[in-house]
Amino acid sequence: MAVTLMDEDAPAEQGKLRPPSWLLMLAEPRALFEFNSSLLLSPLLLQAPRGDGHPVLALPGFLASDLSMAPMRRYLSQLGYDAHAWNMGRNFGGVYSKRQALRTLLERIHEQAGRKVSIVGWSLGGVYARDLALQAPDLVRSVITLGSPFANDIRATNATKLYELLSGEGVNDIPGLREAIGGDLPVPATSIYSRTDGIVNWRTSLVRPSATAENIEVHLASHIGLGVNPAALWAVADRLAQAEGEFSHFGRSGPFAIAYAPPENAQS
């Protein structure tokens, strides 16, 4: 497996990254184990910090629907958040074509709640989330992404060609916007990722660490399972519990501490 990961990181051409190996991709069904683990460990998960009732918008990944984010929304609701679905059916992609609809959705949630909205985006949903934070920073409280390809060589995924086919958009279209999404955000940002992601090269999920931006690596998580992985869920809850206008880096403690890599590993 170590050889596989090294091959994944090696550039196919100068300056380019490879998508995850087929071995990692074939291991993605372990997401079912991650989901079952969350069910089994739900008493521990509910010991996470309680929410303050602010709205949280959950955005699904490519080819997924609100059903994929239902466990996340249910968990956040149990912790006291006002969790919202995106209500746009299955996500067939379109960072540019969906911009206005997502902006309208964000504005509606903000107006109804009278509070800033945190956005949790899984995979492509995280790319949407970062774009929303750039468009409307006054409406967004924080952004949390899960296995989202927004940085470095964003073509290094096993879904790029299918995304371009179904969405009708090239990932290199409007490069200025693409670069902005991969840059620093005007709101607190957390990227949760795994080196054993079988769909997205983990290096495309790294933010530039700063006083309000961080990376959290979850050991052995799959791409499909990141949104239901118990350690990832705990990290999301911990990040959302921070008071508005405040940010401190993830402490990597609690019942799932062993599942997180040290923060310095993100750049190695």
Side-chain angles (χ1 to χ4, degrees):
M1 183 64 73
V3 173
T4 300
L5 291 175
M6 289 175 63
D7 288 344
E8 169 195 318
D9 296 338
E13 299 175 23
Q14 187 65 33
K16 293 188 177 181
L17 297 171
R18 295 182 184 275
S21 70
W22 282 102
L23 288 177
L24 282 178
M25 190 173 179
L26 290 173
E28 280 292 309
R30 69 186 186 279
L32 180 60
F33 172 76
E34 294 172 87
F35 176 63
N36 289 334
S37 296
S38 292
L39 295 178
L40 182 64
L41 297 171
S42 57
L44 282 179
L45 284 168
L46 291 175
Q47 293 179 20
R50 300 291 301 178
D52 62 0
H54 80 269
V56 180
L57 174 60
L59 301 178
F62 181 51
L63 298 182
S65 68
D66 282 324
L67 182 61
S68 68
M69 300 297 284
M72 173 78 71
R73 295 196 310 274
R74 186 181 309 113
Y75 175 53
L76 296 180
S77 295
Q78 289 175 320
L79 290 177
Y81 296 98
D82 179 20
H84 292 260
W86 88 326
N87 295 314
M88 295 186 190
R90 192 167 295 279
N91 184 1
F92 288 108
V95 173
Y96 315 114
S97 63
K98 287 185 168 58
R99 293 189 87 204
Q100 186 55 54
L102 285 166
R103 173 70 178 265
T104 300
L105 173 61
L106 174 65
E107 291 173 347
R108 183 168 67 248
I109 295 173
H110 178 268
E111 182 178 359
Q112 291 172 348
R115 304 179 68 177
K116 288 187 177 182
V117 183
S118 289
I119 310 176
V120 179
W122 191 352
S123 192
L124 180 60
V127 179
Y128 296 156
R130 292 180 63 87
D131 185 38
L132 281 171
L134 290 171
Q135 291 186 65
D138 292 342
L139 308 184
V140 178
R141 176 162 163 165
S142 66
V143 166
I144 301 173
T145 58
L146 298 155
S148 298
F150 56 81
N152 300 309
D153 180 12
I154 59 174
R155 295 193 65 87
T157 83
N158 284 314
T160 299
K161 291 182 180 178
L162 188 58
Y163 168 87
E164 293 180 327
L165 176 64
L166 295 181
S167 70
E169 296 180 358
V171 297
N172 289 322
D173 290 349
I174 318 181
L177 174 60
R178 185 197 71 202
E179 292 166 3
I181 291 174
D184 298 334
L185 294 186
V187 304
T190 297
S191 174
I192 300 173
Y193 72 97
S194 173
R195 296 191 186 215
T196 52
D197 188 315
I199 304 298
V200 169
N201 185 306
W202 63 273
R203 292 185 181 275
T204 69
S205 299
L206 298 180
V207 300
R208 186 178 72 86
S210 71
T212 56
E214 64 181 345
N215 298 294
I216 302 175
E217 179 185 347
V218 178
H219 290 308
L220 303 179
S222 66
H223 182 81
I224 297 173
L226 263 177
V228 293
N229 180 287
L233 288 173
W234 179 276
V236 169
D238 181 272
R239 302 293 75 204
L240 290 175
Q242 298 180 98
E244 184 174 342
E246 298 181 6
F247 184 86
S248 60
H249 286 256
F250 186 55
R252 289 167 174 78
S253 58
F256 303 101
I258 194 173
Y260 309 114
E264 60 269 18
N265 280 9
Q267 301 300 331
S268 64

